[in-house]
Amino acid sequence: MTLPGALLVPALPTHERWFVESQQAGDWSFFLSPLPLVLTAAVVVAAVAWRVIALRVDRPELPVLRPLGRLVPLVPRLLGIHLGVALLALAATGAFITPSNDHLEGVGGNALLLVEAGLGIWLVTGWQLRTAAALVLGLAPALALVAGLTALGECANLAAVAAFLVVVPPGPDAYGAAHPSRAHLRWALLWLRLGVGAALIVLAFSEKLTNPAMAIDTLEHYPALDVFALVGVHVSPETFVAIAGATELLFGLLVISGAFPQVAVLVAMVPFNATLLLFGQTEMVGHLPVYGVFLALLVYGSSEETFRAVRWLPRRSARRVAVPAAA
């Protein structure tokens, strides 16, 4: 098969820093070469067209998934569990916020891991999660200090879940059912989409589009990632990296757009789950918050009452309107 045919096969997204020795990003010469630039332009055009078309469809795009809408009140509780289990599992393996940040030492490092574990347990309990989520956001300076600003961007998905829970925490009943106002839900979903989308975009550049050496190193260590070879397509490592980076960039833009969330999530879940077969527990723990976000977008996108909130973006006239205070 030729290169155009290969582009129809989605490359599996993965986090190289979790599995190979980290290398510094910043090789913009690779990104500015013809293929990455063409793929990036195509991805941006596709994401814009995706949203324009979606805005013309005033209903959930997959009616068969409508029963999932019954879970809407429980989404904040489920997100809290996903985030809590992820933090607790990371702390148990000696990693702070991300599996690649597992080199903490001394009293300070142990203290951060204890705080991480404590917040994980707190989030799982479901009690006063607004405070717990705010404290998770407060870990950002510590992460930037020990791992750098790039790691902060790569972990924006955890911050996105925490920000959602600050705006829309679980309710006080035994099951944590939440019934936020439309304004609160819109803003909470916006922070959720922006955070997860930003993390995917940062990863596309920091581990692939401006870091081809590390991406190729990962491919050499784990040749099973080359899904093109599995279907008889042979592309160069550089071409694979460009396609993989563009794929991750596309997922990030689609999440931010909020358009056709049911289809977008179902498509994205295929490559995100496929990597579990190769990387196992580390991949599952690292992606737990993302799985929670996918569940949230799928549930809210399947409800007639909430699907419009998933794709909502503030308008210019809304700039003068303050973000609604948390209830």
Side-chain angles (χ1 to χ4, degrees), residues 45-168:
V45 170
V48 172
W50 183 265
R51 179 170 172 83
V52 170
I53 295 172
L55 291 178
R56 298 177 179 273
V57 180
D58 195 31
R59 59 175 176 80
E61 64 272 19
L62 298 177
V64 69
L65 298 180
R66 190 170 300 165
L68 289 176
R70 300 171 187 171
L71 297 176
V72 161
L74 301 179
V75 168
R77 183 74 180 93
L78 294 173
L79 281 176
I81 293 173
H82 276 82
L83 181 57
V85 171
L87 292 177
L88 187 57
L90 287 167
T93 58
F96 182 59
I97 303 300
T98 173
S100 61
N101 190 26
D102 59 354
H103 55 276
L104 300 182
E105 298 178 352
V107 175
N110 290 332
L112 286 177
L113 294 177
L114 286 174
V115 170
E116 181 181 42
L119 288 174
I121 294 172
W122 188 350
L123 286 162
V124 171
T125 67
W127 178 77
Q128 296 292 324
L129 289 200
R130 176 173 287 138
T131 302
L135 291 174
V136 171
L137 292 175
L139 295 176
L143 177 61
L145 182 63
V146 301
L149 293 177
T150 299
L152 198 61
E154 293 175 350
C155 297
N157 54 332
L158 281 82
V161 176
F164 180 97
L165 293 173
V166 168
V167 180
V168 179

Side-chain angles (χ1 to χ4, degrees), residues 169-313:
D173 66 24
Y175 299 102
H179 303 281
S181 67
R182 183 170 63 177
H184 281 101
L185 182 60
R186 282 177 168 180
W187 282 102
L189 283 169
L190 178 64
W191 301 136
L192 192 71
R193 287 158 34 215
L194 287 176
V196 175
L200 291 171
I201 292 171
V202 170
L203 284 164
F205 281 89
S206 68
E207 294 188 348
K208 297 175 181 69
L209 296 177
T210 70
N211 200 349
M214 189 171 74
I216 292 173
D217 186 30
T218 304
L219 190 61
E220 291 175 350
H221 280 81
Y222 301 96
L225 284 172
D226 189 354
V227 293
F228 302 126
L230 298 179
V231 294
V233 178
H234 299 286
V235 299
S236 68
E238 291 78 10
T239 299
F240 178 88
V241 172
I243 296 174
T247 300
E248 203 155 30
L249 178 61
L250 176 62
F251 287 153
L253 292 175
L254 292 183
V255 169
I256 291 175
S257 77
F260 287 143
Q262 295 172 305
V263 174
V265 166
L266 291 178
V267 171
M269 284 176 63
V270 174
F272 271 89
N273 287 324
T275 54
L276 292 176
L277 300 175
L278 185 59
F279 297 116
Q281 177 181 321
T282 300
E283 186 84 342
M284 182 180 67
V285 171
H287 279 161
L288 266 178
V290 177
Y291 296 145
V293 171
F294 284 170
L295 175 62
L297 296 178
L298 193 60
V299 170
Y300 285 125
S302 299
S303 169
E304 291 283 353
E305 288 73 32
T306 61
F307 79 93
R308 296 180 187 87
V310 177
R311 66 192 187 192
W312 177 79
L313 289 174

